[in-house]
Amino acid sequence: MDAEKEELLDIKSCNLEEVTEYLVSMGEAKFRGKQIYEWMHQKRVCRWDEMTNLSAALRRKLEDTARLTVLTPVEVLISEIDGTRKYLFALQDGNVIESVFMRYKHGNSVCISSQVGCRMGCRFCASTLDGLGTELAPSEMLEQIYAIERHVGERISNVVVMGSGEPMDNYENLLKFIELLTDDNGIHISQRNLTVSTCGIVPKINELAEKKLQMTLAISLHASSDEKRKELMPVANAYSIEQLIEACRNYFQKTGRRITFEYSLVQGVNDTMEDAQRLSNLLLGLNCHVNLIPVNPIKERTYQQSTTRSITEFKNRLEKNRINVTIRREMGRDINGACGQLRKSYIEHKEGL
Ligand code: SAH
């Protein structure tokens, strides 16, 4: 039965053209494709029988051949401070993923995962502790947003691909996800309201630049020298900071979009004045913004958050050097936990660890 289900077409990962082709191949009229696409991505229904302008016979036929990917939360934590919500969703294969809902003045934002776990091995990150890095399908990325919208009952206006996983390690599915997310026949979130965060897979950044998308690219930099970056992020063994910054310059040149750099401050590791100065030198003349994130300690590692004082001094130094910088505001402090920790504690609990 399960094997049979695997064979079903993941129709929510198909674009309008593909859905239409599929319907035509079933002997249906072309306009059925658009109807079904709109039910999935505009009205965002969860069941075939909600698609009321299709005949019962067609709905049955679709049910037998195609899968309507729907996520339902297995756990939701809601912050009493600011309404931030952390979601844990179970996938069909039994894996679980995490997503976050945040309310800002400028609208509601959802942070989604792009993979189950991650293969990148960043030392401070909980998502990568078990390795994995199983791809999520475009439908599974979209459903995190749709499911949260259904649960909260409010519109989502911003999406950040900053949850578990490395989006550039799931590149084709990421591109398809962006196509469906921004399609005006679907949920129609503007490219400008989308941010994709990467640990810096240089060839993929260059490939993405060629697409000339209007989304924001965020780079997890976290260090200003190769030596320190290698200590924190194994990906730095594959690409030097110089190559990474060059790719960012190219990205800006091709897209005109300002780059965001994420820099998680770890006490005694990357938070000195020397680090701040080297970072400023590195970014000089590049149209960018630095987001300082006090590192979120995970119990599996000994990294500590920088002191408030060194965070402020770090920020002041960047400002003095005319680098755009903000300190990331912490959301949902009471349900906090670093990326991937909710998922990890859920799995450990289930396995009785
Ligand atoms: N793989 C992508 C996106 C997921 S991680 C990337 O590397 O950008 C999202 C951001 O959270 C990254 O900047 C990551 O380095 C950071 N991050 C992960 N664990 C963290 C922690 N414990 N404390 C602070 N930032 C963390």
Side-chain angles (χ1 to χ4, degrees):
M1 173 72 190
D2 269 346
E4 209 174 284
K5 272 230 159 4
E6 285 299 302
E7 300 300 315
L8 300 182
L9 173 72
D10 174 15
I11 194 165
K12 235 187 222 182
S13 289
C14 297
N15 62 22
L16 175 57
E17 203 184 322
E18 290 160 343
V19 176
T20 304
E21 262 171 37
Y22 182 64
L23 268 293
V24 170
S25 78
M26 289 169 90
E28 296 292 329
K30 214 173 147 194
F31 73 92
R32 293 288 178 207
K34 182 133 192 242
Q35 282 182 329
I36 293 166
Y37 189 89
E38 285 179 356
W39 280 116
M40 291 191 290
H41 298 289
Q42 223 164 54
K43 303 186 188 87
R44 301 190 278 286
V45 298
C46 296
R47 296 189 320 270
W48 294 111
D49 61 16
E50 289 177 276
M51 302 187 185
T52 47
N53 56 4
L54 308 183
S55 70
L58 176 56
R59 278 184 263 152
R60 255 197 318 277
K61 223 158 65 173
L62 284 165
E63 190 149 10
D64 288 341
T65 55
R67 169 163 55 89
L68 207 51
T69 302
V70 173
L71 296 182
T72 40
V74 289
E75 202 171 315
V76 186
L77 301 179
I78 304 179
S79 163
E80 291 183 3
I81 302 172
D82 53 29
T84 296
R85 301 184 185 200
K86 277 206 160 193
Y87 288 85
L88 205 63
F89 292 110
L91 303 175
Q92 265 191 335
D93 62 9
N95 275 313
V96 286
I97 53 169
E98 248 181 81
S99 327
V100 187
F101 167 84
M102 288 158 290
R103 245 186 221 117
Y104 290 102
K105 275 202 293 288
H106 61 266
N108 293 327
S109 184
V110 166
C111 171
I112 66 158
S113 294
S114 58
Q115 293 180 315
V116 179
C118 186
R119 305 191 296 149
M120 295 298 125
C122 297
R123 300 287 299 161
F124 45 81
C125 179
S127 302
T128 200
L129 289 167
D130 306 319
L132 275 174
T134 316
E135 295 183 348
L136 290 185
S139 60
E140 292 166 326
M141 292 192 239
L142 282 170
E143 253 303 309
Q144 295 173 60
I145 302 156
Y146 298 179
I148 289 178
E149 197 186 58
R150 286 194 296 270
H151 189 260
V152 181
E154 292 174 28
R155 293 300 296 239
I156 309 297
S157 53
N158 291 271
V159 173
V160 294
V161 185
M162 240 183 229
S164 296
E166 170 47 48
M168 299 294 184
D169 190 33
N170 189 14
Y171 184 70
E172 293 306 324
N173 286 341
L174 174 77
L175 286 185
K176 192 65 171 286
F177 159 74
I178 296 174
E179 180 189 344
L180 298 176
L181 180 78
T182 56
D183 183 1
D184 52 10
N185 292 304
I187 192 168
H188 197 198
I189 287 182
S190 121
Q191 288 181 8
R192 288 174 177 271
N193 291 355
L194 169 69
T195 298
V196 174
S197 175
T198 174
C199 64
I201 300 180
V202 167
K204 293 295 176 202
I205 296 173
N206 287 330
E207 245 182 278
L208 188 65
E210 297 303 324
K211 306 274 175 212
K212 300 189 173 26
L213 300 177
Q214 287 303 293
M215 48 157 248
T216 300
L217 182 66
I219 306 285
S220 300
L221 191 58
H222 305 322
S224 55
S225 74
D226 285 325
E227 199 190 338
K228 285 199 185 186
R229 196 159 189 264
K230 281 179 194 171
E231 260 177 52
L232 294 171
M233 306 175 73
V235 70
N237 292 301
Y239 312 106
S240 68
I241 290 184
E242 197 188 319
Q243 289 172 310
L244 181 55
I245 300 295
E246 186 49 41
C248 292
R249 283 189 204 285
N250 177 51
Y251 189 89
F252 177 73
Q253 205 188 2
K254 296 273 161 61
T255 63
R257 298 291 293 167
R258 183 174 86 160
I259 308 282
T260 295
F261 288 100
E262 294 157 274
Y263 194 105
S264 296
L265 288 157
V266 188
Q267 189 171 51
V269 176
N270 62 3
D271 65 346
T272 64
M273 277 305 98
E274 194 193 340
D275 289 302
Q277 187 54 46
R278 211 172 24 222
L279 180 62
S280 310
N281 298 345
L282 206 59
L283 302 182
L284 205 72
L286 178 62
N287 197 335
C288 67
H289 177 92
V290 176
N291 214 337
L292 296 176
I293 313 160
V295 81
N296 213 331
I298 58 174
K299 68 176 191 306
E300 292 80 3
R301 303 271 189 257
T302 55
Y303 293 125
Q304 297 295 315
Q305 233 174 55
S306 302
T307 61
T308 311
R309 184 166 164 209
S310 45
I311 295 173
T312 309
E313 283 175 5
F314 200 97
K315 175 172 181 270
N316 291 346
R317 174 59 72 96
L318 293 187
E319 273 175 346
K320 191 165 150 266
N321 292 329
R322 298 178 180 279
I323 307 282
N324 279 309
V325 56
T326 44
I327 298 172
R328 182 179 294 171
R329 186 157 66 93
E330 211 175 343
M331 301 284 281
R333 182 181 279 274
D334 50 337
I335 53 162
N336 218 2
C339 287
Q341 275 192 337
L342 177 59
R343 169 174 173 269
K344 194 149 183 353
S345 64
Y346 178 83
I347 294 169
E348 282 172 2
H349 182 71
K350 228 175 59 181
E351 291 172 352
L353 295 176

mmCIF file of all heavy atoms in Angstrom, residues 114 118 120 122 124-127 161-167 196-200 218-222 233 262-265 293-298 328 338-339, ligand 1:
data_model
loop_
_atom_site.group_PDB
_atom_site.id
_atom_site.type_symbol
_atom_site.label_atom_id
_atom_site.label_comp_id
_atom_site.label_asym_id
_atom_site.label_seq_id
_atom_site.Cartn_x
_atom_site.Cartn_y
_atom_site.Cartn_z
ATOM 1 N N SER A 114 14.039 23.454 4.463
ATOM 2 C CA SER A 114 14.214 23.040 3.071
ATOM 3 C C SER A 114 14.650 21.588 2.946
ATOM 4 O O SER A 114 14.643 21.009 1.870
ATOM 5 C CB SER A 114 15.224 23.941 2.369
ATOM 6 O OG SER A 114 16.462 23.915 3.055
ATOM 7 N N CYS A 118 20.240 18.184 7.996
ATOM 8 C CA CYS A 118 21.157 18.936 7.140
ATOM 9 C C CYS A 118 22.498 18.224 7.090
ATOM 10 O O CYS A 118 22.898 17.570 8.042
ATOM 11 C CB CYS A 118 21.335 20.348 7.723
ATOM 12 S SG CYS A 118 22.305 21.453 6.675
ATOM 13 N N MET A 120 25.395 19.875 6.306
ATOM 14 C CA MET A 120 26.469 20.873 6.239
ATOM 15 C C MET A 120 27.389 20.871 7.460
ATOM 16 O O MET A 120 28.519 21.332 7.393
ATOM 17 C CB MET A 120 25.879 22.264 6.016
ATOM 18 C CG MET A 120 25.191 22.411 4.677
ATOM 19 S SD MET A 120 26.358 22.175 3.293
ATOM 20 C CE MET A 120 25.548 20.892 2.371
ATOM 21 N N CYS A 122 27.498 22.580 10.370
ATOM 22 C CA CYS A 122 27.900 23.780 11.122
ATOM 23 C C CYS A 122 27.934 23.431 12.613
ATOM 24 O O CYS A 122 27.014 22.815 13.132
ATOM 25 C CB CYS A 122 26.925 24.930 10.854
ATOM 26 S SG CYS A 122 26.923 25.431 9.124
ATOM 27 N N PHE A 124 27.620 24.926 15.463
ATOM 28 C CA PHE A 124 26.727 25.495 16.487
ATOM 29 C C PHE A 124 25.268 25.144 16.242
ATOM 30 O O PHE A 124 24.383 25.567 16.971
ATOM 31 C CB PHE A 124 26.868 27.026 16.486
ATOM 32 C CG PHE A 124 26.861 27.568 15.079
ATOM 33 C CD1 PHE A 124 25.674 27.758 14.410
ATOM 34 C CD2 PHE A 124 28.060 27.811 14.403
ATOM 35 C CE1 PHE A 124 25.659 28.191 13.100
ATOM 36 C CE2 PHE A 124 28.061 28.252 13.090
ATOM 37 C CZ PHE A 124 26.852 28.440 12.433
ATOM 38 N N CYS A 125 25.000 24.382 15.181
ATOM 39 C CA CYS A 125 23.617 24.215 14.716
ATOM 40 C C CYS A 125 23.058 22.844 15.081
ATOM 41 O O CYS A 125 23.708 21.819 14.882
ATOM 42 C CB CYS A 125 23.567 24.414 13.206
ATOM 43 S SG CYS A 125 21.913 24.214 12.518
ATOM 44 N N ALA A 126 21.822 22.829 15.595
ATOM 45 C CA ALA A 126 21.200 21.576 16.043
ATOM 46 C C ALA A 126 20.629 20.771 14.873
ATOM 47 O O ALA A 126 20.464 19.560 14.978
ATOM 48 C CB ALA A 126 20.092 21.875 17.049
ATOM 49 N N SER A 127 20.336 21.448 13.765
ATOM 50 C CA SER A 127 19.682 20.755 12.638
ATOM 51 C C SER A 127 20.577 19.704 12.014
ATOM 52 O O SER A 127 20.108 18.783 11.364
ATOM 53 C CB SER A 127 19.305 21.746 11.540
ATOM 54 O OG SER A 127 18.474 22.729 12.045
ATOM 55 N N VAL A 161 13.477 31.144 3.934
ATOM 56 C CA VAL A 161 13.936 29.749 3.897
ATOM 57 C C VAL A 161 15.181 29.713 4.765
ATOM 58 O O VAL A 161 16.306 29.890 4.299
ATOM 59 C CB VAL A 161 14.231 29.292 2.453
ATOM 60 C CG1 VAL A 161 14.579 27.802 2.429
ATOM 61 C CG2 VAL A 161 13.027 29.564 1.559
ATOM 62 N N MET A 162 14.938 29.574 6.072
ATOM 63 C CA MET A 162 15.995 29.718 7.068
ATOM 64 C C MET A 162 15.835 28.692 8.171
ATOM 65 O O MET A 162 16.438 28.804 9.226
ATOM 66 C CB MET A 162 15.897 31.119 7.688
ATOM 67 C CG MET A 162 17.121 31.956 7.487
ATOM 68 S SD MET A 162 16.926 33.526 8.313
ATOM 69 C CE MET A 162 17.410 34.632 7.010
ATOM 70 N N GLY A 163 14.977 27.716 7.923
ATOM 71 C CA GLY A 163 14.805 26.652 8.910
ATOM 72 C C GLY A 163 15.861 25.586 8.688
ATOM 73 O O GLY A 163 16.930 25.865 8.140
ATOM 74 N N SER A 164 15.554 24.358 9.083
ATOM 75 C CA SER A 164 16.531 23.283 8.927
ATOM 76 C C SER A 164 16.818 23.016 7.459
ATOM 77 O O SER A 164 15.934 23.124 6.605
ATOM 78 C CB SER A 164 15.994 22.008 9.562
ATOM 79 O OG SER A 164 15.841 22.203 10.935
ATOM 80 N N GLY A 165 18.061 22.648 7.206
ATOM 81 C CA GLY A 165 18.447 22.256 5.853
ATOM 82 C C GLY A 165 19.204 23.334 5.116
ATOM 83 O O GLY A 165 19.188 24.504 5.503
ATOM 84 N N GLU A 166 19.888 22.913 4.056
ATOM 85 C CA GLU A 166 20.628 23.854 3.214
ATOM 86 C C GLU A 166 19.907 23.936 1.867
ATOM 87 O O GLU A 166 19.943 22.989 1.083
ATOM 88 C CB GLU A 166 22.082 23.364 3.050
ATOM 89 C CG GLU A 166 22.904 24.094 2.027
ATOM 90 C CD GLU A 166 22.811 25.612 2.119
ATOM 91 O OE1 GLU A 166 22.946 26.178 3.212
ATOM 92 O OE2 GLU A 166 22.584 26.253 1.067
ATOM 93 N N PRO A 167 19.232 25.062 1.618
ATOM 94 C CA PRO A 167 18.423 25.160 0.395
ATOM 95 C C PRO A 167 19.207 24.924 -0.896
ATOM 96 O O PRO A 167 18.690 24.358 -1.849
ATOM 97 C CB PRO A 167 17.853 26.583 0.447
ATOM 98 C CG PRO A 167 18.531 27.280 1.567
ATOM 99 C CD PRO A 167 19.092 26.260 2.476
ATOM 100 N N VAL A 196 16.142 33.707 1.045
ATOM 101 C CA VAL A 196 16.726 32.361 1.091
ATOM 102 C C VAL A 196 18.105 32.467 1.721
ATOM 103 O O VAL A 196 18.937 33.277 1.299
ATOM 104 C CB VAL A 196 16.831 31.744 -0.326
ATOM 105 C CG1 VAL A 196 17.568 30.410 -0.282
ATOM 106 C CG2 VAL A 196 15.441 31.563 -0.936
ATOM 107 N N SER A 197 18.333 31.652 2.737
ATOM 108 C CA SER A 197 19.595 31.716 3.473
ATOM 109 C C SER A 197 20.463 30.500 3.158
ATOM 110 O O SER A 197 20.001 29.368 3.204
ATOM 111 C CB SER A 197 19.279 31.755 4.973
ATOM 112 O OG SER A 197 20.463 31.707 5.727
ATOM 113 N N THR A 198 21.721 30.752 2.854
ATOM 114 C CA THR A 198 22.642 29.651 2.522
ATOM 115 C C THR A 198 23.937 29.762 3.308
ATOM 116 O O THR A 198 24.392 30.861 3.640
ATOM 117 C CB THR A 198 22.954 29.627 1.008
ATOM 118 O OG1 THR A 198 23.961 28.635 0.764
ATOM 119 C CG2 THR A 198 23.467 30.970 0.505
ATOM 120 N N CYS A 199 24.544 28.615 3.557
ATOM 121 C CA CYS A 199 25.842 28.608 4.235
ATOM 122 C C CYS A 199 26.952 28.985 3.250
ATOM 123 O O CYS A 199 28.101 29.113 3.641
ATOM 124 C CB CYS A 199 26.108 27.251 4.867
ATOM 125 S SG CYS A 199 26.244 25.923 3.667
ATOM 126 N N GLY A 200 26.585 29.135 1.969
ATOM 127 C CA GLY A 200 27.564 29.662 1.009
ATOM 128 C C GLY A 200 28.108 28.642 0.035
ATOM 129 O O GLY A 200 29.335 28.471 -0.065
ATOM 130 N N ALA A 218 20.491 35.608 1.666
ATOM 131 C CA ALA A 218 21.175 35.779 2.944
ATOM 132 C C ALA A 218 22.310 34.762 3.016
ATOM 133 O O ALA A 218 22.132 33.599 2.667
ATOM 134 C CB ALA A 218 20.202 35.566 4.103
ATOM 135 N N ILE A 219 23.458 35.240 3.440
ATOM 136 C CA ILE A 219 24.635 34.380 3.519
ATOM 137 C C ILE A 219 25.024 34.201 4.984
ATOM 138 O O ILE A 219 25.224 35.186 5.698
ATOM 139 C CB ILE A 219 25.848 35.030 2.785
ATOM 140 C CG1 ILE A 219 25.500 35.395 1.342
ATOM 141 C CG2 ILE A 219 27.093 34.153 2.890
ATOM 142 C CD1 ILE A 219 25.437 34.238 0.389
ATOM 143 N N SER A 220 25.132 32.963 5.411
ATOM 144 C CA SER A 220 25.604 32.697 6.769
ATOM 145 C C SER A 220 27.122 32.777 6.752
ATOM 146 O O SER A 220 27.799 31.857 6.323
ATOM 147 C CB SER A 220 25.155 31.302 7.214
ATOM 148 O OG SER A 220 23.750 31.258 7.186
ATOM 149 N N LEU A 221 27.624 33.898 7.224
ATOM 150 C CA LEU A 221 29.066 34.135 7.142
ATOM 151 C C LEU A 221 29.759 33.693 8.431
ATOM 152 O O LEU A 221 30.643 32.841 8.419
ATOM 153 C CB LEU A 221 29.318 35.614 6.838
ATOM 154 C CG LEU A 221 30.735 35.994 6.459
ATOM 155 C CD1 LEU A 221 31.226 35.243 5.240
ATOM 156 C CD2 LEU A 221 30.851 37.510 6.200
ATOM 157 N N HIS A 222 29.365 34.294 9.533
ATOM 158 C CA HIS A 222 29.781 33.880 10.880
ATOM 159 C C HIS A 222 31.267 33.991 11.209
ATOM 160 O O HIS A 222 31.681 33.664 12.338
ATOM 161 C CB HIS A 222 29.323 32.456 11.193
ATOM 162 C CG HIS A 222 27.844 32.223 11.032
ATOM 163 N ND1 HIS A 222 26.903 33.152 11.391
ATOM 164 C CD2 HIS A 222 27.158 31.167 10.530
ATOM 165 C CE1 HIS A 222 25.703 32.672 11.130
ATOM 166 N NE2 HIS A 222 25.827 31.482 10.602
ATOM 167 N N MET A 233 32.297 26.184 10.381
ATOM 168 C CA MET A 233 31.500 25.711 9.255
ATOM 169 C C MET A 233 32.350 24.882 8.288
ATOM 170 O O MET A 233 33.194 25.441 7.568
ATOM 171 C CB MET A 233 30.922 26.913 8.496
ATOM 172 C CG MET A 233 30.144 27.882 9.375
ATOM 173 S SD MET A 233 29.603 29.337 8.458
ATOM 174 C CE MET A 233 28.290 28.655 7.461
ATOM 175 N N GLU A 262 24.503 36.987 7.620
ATOM 176 C CA GLU A 262 24.180 36.597 8.987
ATOM 177 C C GLU A 262 25.487 36.285 9.708
ATOM 178 O O GLU A 262 26.372 35.618 9.156
ATOM 179 C CB GLU A 262 23.290 35.354 8.990
ATOM 180 C CG GLU A 262 21.940 35.627 8.379
ATOM 181 C CD GLU A 262 21.297 34.356 7.878
ATOM 182 O OE1 GLU A 262 21.587 33.963 6.726
ATOM 183 O OE2 GLU A 262 20.537 33.762 8.631
ATOM 184 N N TYR A 263 25.566 36.806 10.912
ATOM 185 C CA TYR A 263 26.797 36.613 11.688
ATOM 186 C C TYR A 263 26.387 36.282 13.115
ATOM 187 O O TYR A 263 25.922 37.145 13.857
ATOM 188 C CB TYR A 263 27.631 37.899 11.602
ATOM 189 C CG TYR A 263 29.069 37.753 12.059
ATOM 190 C CD1 TYR A 263 30.113 37.703 11.133
ATOM 191 C CD2 TYR A 263 29.382 37.683 13.414
ATOM 192 C CE1 TYR A 263 31.433 37.582 11.551
ATOM 193 C CE2 TYR A 263 30.701 37.557 13.838
ATOM 194 C CZ TYR A 263 31.724 37.510 12.897
ATOM 195 O OH TYR A 263 33.030 37.394 13.309
ATOM 196 N N SER A 264 26.488 35.002 13.472
ATOM 197 C CA SER A 264 26.125 34.574 14.825
ATOM 198 C C SER A 264 27.325 34.766 15.735
ATOM 199 O O SER A 264 28.396 34.212 15.493
ATOM 200 C CB SER A 264 25.716 33.093 14.830
ATOM 201 O OG SER A 264 24.567 32.929 14.051
ATOM 202 N N LEU A 265 27.125 35.565 16.767
ATOM 203 C CA LEU A 265 28.247 35.901 17.652
ATOM 204 C C LEU A 265 28.447 34.835 18.726
ATOM 205 O O LEU A 265 27.537 34.527 19.505
ATOM 206 C CB LEU A 265 27.996 37.263 18.290
ATOM 207 C CG LEU A 265 28.150 38.430 17.306
ATOM 208 C CD1 LEU A 265 27.373 39.644 17.766
ATOM 209 C CD2 LEU A 265 29.624 38.766 17.107
ATOM 210 N N ILE A 293 23.494 37.928 15.152
ATOM 211 C CA ILE A 293 22.623 37.008 15.899
ATOM 212 C C ILE A 293 23.405 36.473 17.099
ATOM 213 O O ILE A 293 24.415 35.800 16.915
ATOM 214 C CB ILE A 293 22.213 35.805 15.016
ATOM 215 C CG1 ILE A 293 21.737 36.267 13.642
ATOM 216 C CG2 ILE A 293 21.179 34.932 15.710
ATOM 217 C CD1 ILE A 293 21.786 35.180 12.570
ATOM 218 N N PRO A 294 22.953 36.811 18.310
ATOM 219 C CA PRO A 294 23.629 36.192 19.465
ATOM 220 C C PRO A 294 23.447 34.680 19.343
ATOM 221 O O PRO A 294 22.316 34.219 19.205
ATOM 222 C CB PRO A 294 22.849 36.737 20.666
ATOM 223 C CG PRO A 294 22.062 37.902 20.143
ATOM 224 C CD PRO A 294 21.818 37.655 18.689
ATOM 225 N N VAL A 295 24.520 33.908 19.319
ATOM 226 C CA VAL A 295 24.389 32.468 19.072
ATOM 227 C C VAL A 295 23.466 31.851 20.118
ATOM 228 O O VAL A 295 23.443 32.268 21.273
ATOM 229 C CB VAL A 295 25.763 31.743 19.045
ATOM 230 C CG1 VAL A 295 26.283 31.450 20.440
ATOM 231 C CG2 VAL A 295 25.698 30.463 18.234
ATOM 232 N N ASN A 296 22.682 30.920 19.669
ATOM 233 C CA ASN A 296 21.721 30.255 20.522
ATOM 234 C C ASN A 296 22.366 28.950 20.996
ATOM 235 O O ASN A 296 22.495 28.022 20.207
ATOM 236 C CB ASN A 296 20.492 29.961 19.659
ATOM 237 C CG ASN A 296 19.236 30.036 20.440
ATOM 238 O OD1 ASN A 296 19.217 29.779 21.636
ATOM 239 N ND2 ASN A 296 18.164 30.365 19.757
ATOM 240 N N PRO A 297 22.801 28.870 22.250
ATOM 241 C CA PRO A 297 23.570 27.685 22.661
ATOM 242 C C PRO A 297 22.738 26.405 22.555
ATOM 243 O O PRO A 297 21.552 26.418 22.863
ATOM 244 C CB PRO A 297 23.899 27.975 24.130
ATOM 245 C CG PRO A 297 23.670 29.419 24.315
ATOM 246 C CD PRO A 297 22.610 29.820 23.344
ATOM 247 N N ILE A 298 23.345 25.337 22.062
ATOM 248 C CA ILE A 298 22.667 24.040 22.040
ATOM 249 C C ILE A 298 23.383 23.116 23.014
ATOM 250 O O ILE A 298 24.593 23.253 23.229
ATOM 251 C CB ILE A 298 22.611 23.425 20.610
ATOM 252 C CG1 ILE A 298 24.008 23.244 19.996
ATOM 253 C CG2 ILE A 298 21.755 24.281 19.702
ATOM 254 C CD1 ILE A 298 24.005 22.520 18.659
ATOM 255 N N ARG A 328 19.705 41.004 15.495
ATOM 256 C CA ARG A 328 18.409 40.349 15.298
ATOM 257 C C ARG A 328 17.633 40.296 16.603
ATOM 258 O O ARG A 328 18.126 39.885 17.633
ATOM 259 C CB ARG A 328 18.579 38.922 14.764
ATOM 260 C CG ARG A 328 17.212 38.303 14.517
ATOM 261 C CD ARG A 328 17.270 36.934 13.968
ATOM 262 N NE ARG A 328 17.846 36.920 12.639
ATOM 263 C CZ ARG A 328 18.170 35.795 12.007
ATOM 264 N NH1 ARG A 328 17.989 34.634 12.590
ATOM 265 N NH2 ARG A 328 18.674 35.834 10.804
ATOM 266 N N ALA A 338 17.232 26.766 19.619
ATOM 267 C CA ALA A 338 17.862 27.042 18.325
ATOM 268 C C ALA A 338 17.224 26.184 17.243
ATOM 269 O O ALA A 338 16.558 25.193 17.540
ATOM 270 C CB ALA A 338 19.342 26.743 18.426
ATOM 271 N N CYS A 339 17.454 26.594 15.992
ATOM 272 C CA CYS A 339 17.009 25.855 14.811
ATOM 273 C C CYS A 339 17.177 24.355 15.009
ATOM 274 O O CYS A 339 18.261 23.894 15.332
ATOM 275 C CB CYS A 339 17.910 26.182 13.624
ATOM 276 S SG CYS A 339 17.662 27.771 12.952
HETATM 277 N N1 SAH B 1 21.497 26.250 5.786
HETATM 278 C C1 SAH B 1 21.107 27.605 5.679
HETATM 279 C C2 SAH B 1 19.779 27.948 6.331
HETATM 280 C C3 SAH B 1 19.452 27.351 7.657
HETATM 281 S S1 SAH B 1 20.221 27.964 9.091
HETATM 282 C C4 SAH B 1 22.204 28.509 6.179
HETATM 283 O O1 SAH B 1 23.208 28.028 6.637
HETATM 284 O O2 SAH B 1 22.071 29.721 6.060
HETATM 285 C C5 SAH B 1 19.608 29.590 9.358
HETATM 286 C C6 SAH B 1 20.567 30.481 10.096
HETATM 287 O O3 SAH B 1 20.634 30.167 11.497
HETATM 288 C C7 SAH B 1 21.982 30.373 9.591
HETATM 289 O O4 SAH B 1 22.568 31.635 9.529
HETATM 290 C C8 SAH B 1 22.633 29.514 10.652
HETATM 291 O O5 SAH B 1 24.014 29.631 10.616
HETATM 292 C C9 SAH B 1 21.978 30.055 11.899
HETATM 293 N N2 SAH B 1 22.047 29.193 13.067
HETATM 294 C C10 SAH B 1 21.927 27.866 13.145
HETATM 295 N N3 SAH B 1 22.057 27.442 14.412
HETATM 296 C C11 SAH B 1 22.242 28.543 15.157
HETATM 297 C C12 SAH B 1 22.450 28.767 16.546
HETATM 298 N N4 SAH B 1 22.476 27.763 17.409
HETATM 299 N N5 SAH B 1 22.601 30.041 16.960
HETATM 300 C C13 SAH B 1 22.561 31.065 16.089
HETATM 301 N N6 SAH B 1 22.377 30.935 14.780
HETATM 302 C C14 SAH B 1 22.232 29.672 14.301
#
